[in-house]
Amino acid sequence: MKKAAFIGVGNMGGALARAACRAVGPDQVVLFNRTPEKAQALAEELGCTVVDSASDAAWSAECLFLGVKPNGIPPLLEELAPQIRDRHRVGEDKVIVSMAAGLLIKDMRPHLAGAGYYVPVIRIMPNTCVAVGKGMTALCAGEPEEAYIQSVEEILSATGRVERISEALMEQFSAVAGCGPAFIYPYIEALADGGVMTGLPRGQALEYAAQMVLGAAAMVLESGKHPEQLKDEVCSPGGSTIAGVAELERGGLRSAAINAVLAAYKRGTELGK
């Protein structure tokens, strides 16, 4: 089992640290954040350890999760390289795990030159649902050994689903799964609004809508059936459900969803340049 260090514990880094504590135990997790109080509060919640610097994190763990903004990755890697080099000399190698959007593996490698050896680099793209163990995370790697990838997958095992993909598909993944929760939340709210209009209390309407979306997603993932077939199975001839489906079609739900993904993808590729 590899020990994990989370350097940067913002919304995503903190969510992954929580999942890592569930997956491999808090004794296998260390935290560092530029604002120490934030790391300390999270460590007290989870029972893991806080270190005083990014270099200390690199000394303490084998899997280094970098939860900083993309423009902070190059200087951070250069800061970590000497510690990575020193641990390599005593037989302990590291793996870098970046969750920075738009920053390619090949662009990170030059900043690790000070390590003096080929440091495995893995990119992950989680979505915010990892916070409740229902996330979807894409993972891509350059050419690390399978053992490194499996170690990272073990640490991420309590986040939800983890899928290995080509780095060339990371922006496409992000447009669907990374941005997608923000597309679904207004839909859930709108369904609840409709329920309120029919007379349901707000809290119940929201609970029913959210649980329905959770169950419908599980049906797609677990039944193996196409969404169209599942939709048809709910719609009785001349019934209330097909009447509602007709309204969704009239309102352009499909085209709006497609255009949302395309707009997110376009913007993501622009930001990555």
Side-chain angles (χ1 to χ4, degrees):
M1 182 184 296
K2 302 292 186 183
K3 199 165 187 177
F6 291 86
I7 302 173
V9 292
N11 289 339
M12 191 59 73
L16 291 177
R18 286 185 174 89
C21 286
R22 294 195 301 270
V24 298
D27 58 320
Q28 296 297 311
V29 175
V30 299
L31 309 177
F32 169 72
N33 198 71
R34 296 292 183 187
T35 305
E37 295 80 9
K38 194 167 189 176
Q40 190 62 50
L42 184 60
E44 289 175 3
E45 173 194 333
L46 300 176
C48 54
T49 303
V50 175
V51 292
D52 294 328
S53 68
S55 294
D56 287 344
W59 185 267
S60 303
E62 293 84 16
C63 297
L64 309 179
F65 288 78
L66 310 186
V68 302
K69 294 184 183 300
N71 61 5
I73 295 289
L76 176 58
L77 292 177
E78 291 167 9
E79 178 185 348
L80 297 178
Q83 290 287 22
I84 293 174
R85 179 195 61 219
D86 291 345
R87 297 308 292 169
H88 174 65
R89 287 173 175 170
V90 297
E92 181 187 283
D93 288 342
K94 310 290 183 180
V95 57
I96 298 293
V97 185
S98 169
M99 58 190 88
L103 190 60
L104 301 177
I105 291 174
K106 69 179 182 64
D107 295 328
M108 289 184 258
R109 290 211 176 281
H111 302 286
L112 286 165
Y117 79 105
Y118 183 90
V119 182
V121 178
I122 292 174
R123 279 185 68 194
I124 61 172
M125 184 67 67
N127 67 14
T128 56
C129 305
V130 299
V132 294
K134 300 292 184 182
M136 183 69 239
T137 299
L139 180 153
C140 67
E143 297 178 355
E145 295 178 13
E146 177 67 17
Y148 286 113
I149 300 175
Q150 290 182 1
S151 294
V152 172
E153 288 176 331
E154 179 183 13
I155 293 167
L156 296 175
S157 63
T159 63
R161 293 182 177 235
V162 180
E163 179 86 6
R164 299 187 194 184
I165 68 172
S166 163
E167 189 172 25
L169 294 176
M170 287 292 270
E171 291 300 336
Q172 293 90 327
F173 170 89
S174 181
V176 176
C179 303
F183 306 156
I184 296 301
Y185 298 140
Y187 180 63
I188 293 174
E189 182 186 23
L191 291 171
D193 286 344
V196 171
M197 291 181 69
T198 69
L200 283 173
R202 169 67 62 181
Q204 287 174 266
L206 189 57
E207 177 186 355
Y208 301 160
Q211 179 62 37
M212 178 277 299
V213 170
L214 179 64
M219 288 288 288
V220 172
L221 292 173
E222 297 174 19
S223 72
K225 297 178 180 179
H226 192 280
E228 182 179 17
Q229 181 182 350
L230 291 169
K231 180 262 294 178
D232 288 347
E233 290 175 358
V234 185
C235 294
S236 302
S240 57
T241 305
I242 193 63
V245 168
E247 284 300 314
L248 291 176
E249 294 290 356
R250 187 176 295 114
L253 176 69
R254 290 173 187 265
S255 61
I258 292 169
N259 288 334
V261 172
L262 293 178
Y265 173 68
K266 179 181 179 182
R267 184 58 176 155
T269 55
E270 291 171 351
L271 292 174
K273 291 179 180 178

